Amino acid sequence: MGHAGAQSAFPENGARLEAVSGPLKGKVFSLGEEEFSIGRDPSNQISLLDSLVSRRHCVIRKEDGQFRLVDLDSRNSTFVSGVPIRDRVLLQGDQIRIGNSVLLFQIPGGESSTDASLQLDATPAPGAATVILRKEGPGSGPRGSARGSGCHPSHRRRNRWIFVRHRA
């Protein structure tokens, strides 16, 4: 298998992939200036022995200081953070799923793309309100259905969010 790029420290250009699940879990691969290929064929820089992975599944190219992931018309798609992609610039913390493997894209000192989203502060604050979100609709009620629940028939087919606010 072609795993010549496997190492643990950040490479000189700073970008690397860490296998967080799948047969290569725990291995780290540095991304160089040249094209970096991933697929089932042993000639790839990352070779994944997985029937869900195409022989040449995808490549990562460095372009203008950014790393671009390109799916090579693979049979089962390449996913970045749960979304199927054809061509995408990678961001710090992106999770790349290829078959049964997940690779984490990392750049030292970069903020994770998940950090830019919502973060929950679970520290209790005295006198603060608690908000509970509960989804209501078909299949989410106590009986698993809106039928017989006394709600209007037009509400049986759509989901509603119920906000409950508690004061300490």
Side-chain angles (χ1 to χ4, degrees):
M1 284 190 194
H3 300 296
Q7 63 181 30
S8 60
F10 275 100
E12 213 173 279
N13 70 13
R16 68 182 193 176
L17 294 175
E18 179 181 351
V20 294
S21 72
L24 302 178
K25 183 177 179 177
K27 293 199 184 234
V28 178
F29 303 89
S30 62
L31 298 175
E33 299 294 323
E34 71 282 345
E35 187 173 274
F36 193 87
S37 63
I38 303 170
R40 196 176 69 237
D41 193 87
S43 66
N44 292 293
Q45 279 86 355
I46 296 181
S47 178
L48 299 168
L49 190 57
D50 181 341
S51 63
L52 297 174
V53 177
S54 298
R55 285 185 189 100
R56 283 197 34 91
H57 198 95
C58 61
V59 293
I60 298 175
R61 299 180 180 121
K62 187 167 185 185
E63 296 175 358
D64 301 323
Q66 297 181 317
F67 289 88
R68 180 174 296 281
L69 176 64
V70 179
D71 183 86
L72 300 174
D73 295 323
S74 64
R75 185 181 59 203
N76 293 311
S77 298
T78 303
F79 294 80
V80 175
S81 301
V83 178
I85 62 99
R86 306 277 286 151
D87 186 320
R88 174 177 163 150
V89 172
L90 292 171
L91 302 173
Q92 165 66 18
D94 276 346
Q95 293 185 10
I96 304 164
R97 183 169 56 83
I98 302 164
N100 290 313
S101 296
V102 175
L103 305 166
L104 183 65
F105 178 73
Q106 300 174 329
I107 299 175
E111 285 189 28
S112 173
S113 62
T114 57
D115 291 342
S117 303
L118 178 65
Q119 291 210 354
L120 176 64
D121 181 3
T123 310
T130 302
V131 177
I132 300 171
L133 299 177
R134 184 176 78 221
K135 189 175 184 181
E136 262 196 2
S140 64
R143 293 186 196 106
S145 170
R147 272 180 224 251
S149 63
C151 67
H152 190 273
S154 67
H155 292 174
R156 289 183 185 156
R157 289 195 186 106
R158 60 186 147 143
N159 291 324
R160 295 180 310 173
W161 286 95
I162 304 296
F163 299 93
V164 181
R165 179 177 230 153
H166 296 280
R167 281 263 181 223

